[in-house]
Amino acid sequence: MPTSVRVLIDQLIMPHEDGLPSLVVVDDYRQRQDFLKEMIAEAHIHGITLVSFDDAKALEKQAPSTSADDNQALAFLVNAGQAVPFGEWLDTHRDRLRAWGRFTLVFVLRTELASLLRSAPAFFSLVKARIVENLDACPPTIAPEEVTHALAQMTIQTGMTPSDYARAWQADKISDTFQHNYWFHLAQLQSGAIDE
């Protein structure tokens, strides 16, 4: 299992993951908030918007409004005393999560884990090998705004989208300079599915 936020997000965006959910066990609300903040920033680098939900009652209306096709991912924040309603909802909707998000993260307090899993046996069968504990926060090395700005400059100067640029680089159609190498890595990060 991944040991840092960056590694977890990098694994979740891979095409072979196909939107499978992961369960992130946290010790307290502060740790959850720190992880969520880092995951939002890391996902943004890959062009993914991480949408969070912390109200089990509102999930029925809110979650279906997201879309994996729109590069959105889901983060469910299970508060103390909410494990059973969240678990029941996750059990009922587990097969739809892939359509609603590129990936799904369920944050649960360690003290609520047993209640969540008892109330969601079908969901647990999906995540039993994907329970993440003892994760380290790891801020992105490049600020999301810097990535966005650099890729906008690349597009202006080359006339290529990040995906097109990465493909052209891989086909040796772009000279190997420091600037081009930098743009390639940023383009590859944003497009996510391009092989080196």
Side-chain angles (χ1 to χ4, degrees), residues 134-148:
N134 305 318
L135 198 60
D136 292 325
C138 175
T141 55
I142 302 173
E145 299 80 25
E146 184 180 337
V147 172
T148 302

Side-chain angles (χ1 to χ4, degrees), residues 6-181:
R6 182 175 299 126
V7 172
L8 176 63
I9 298 298
D10 287 348
Q11 287 178 357
L12 291 172
I13 64 166
M14 290 304 182
H16 67 273
E17 289 296 320
D18 194 28
L20 289 172
S22 293
L23 193 62
V24 181
V25 181
V26 295
D27 294 319
D28 54 44
Y29 290 114
R30 182 173 175 222
Q31 184 185 46
R32 181 180 79 181
Q33 191 59 35
D34 290 346
F35 285 158
L36 182 63
K37 181 180 176 184
E38 297 301 331
M39 288 180 185
I40 288 170
E42 194 66 29
H44 182 74
I45 288 171
H46 297 282
I48 298 170
T49 303
L50 189 58
V51 182
S52 63
F53 304 91
D54 65 356
D55 181 2
K57 294 177 184 174
L59 288 176
E60 197 66 40
K61 291 180 183 177
Q62 293 175 341
S65 68
T66 62
S67 172
D69 292 337
D70 291 335
N71 270 336
Q72 292 178 311
L74 309 172
F76 297 119
L77 313 176
V78 181
N79 293 320
Q82 292 293 304
V84 172
F86 259 101
E88 291 170 349
W89 188 88
L90 287 166
D91 230 30
T92 303
H93 297 89
R94 73 185 184 122
D95 294 329
R96 296 189 220 162
L97 295 176
R98 293 177 183 176
W100 296 337
R102 290 270 309 268
F103 56 84
T104 299
L105 297 166
V106 179
F107 291 85
V108 62
L109 297 167
R110 192 172 306 281
T111 56
E112 298 289 311
L113 181 59
S115 294
L116 178 72
L117 298 179
R118 271 194 307 273
S119 64
F123 178 75
F124 179 62
S125 70
L126 214 84
V127 299
K128 65 183 173 187
R130 304 173 62 82
I131 298 176
V132 180
E133 298 184 78
N134 305 318
L135 198 60
D136 292 325
C138 175
T141 55
I142 302 173
E145 299 80 25
E146 184 180 337
V147 172
T148 302
H149 177 74
L151 289 175
Q153 289 300 314
M154 179 210 68
T155 300
I156 290 168
Q157 291 183 28
T158 66
M160 290 187 245
T161 67
S163 294
D164 291 340
Y165 188 89
R167 286 187 195 93
W169 172 273
Q170 289 171 328
D172 290 327
K173 294 179 180 177
I174 297 174
S175 61
D176 188 3
T177 67
F178 176 80
Q179 184 65 56
H180 291 170
N181 196 337

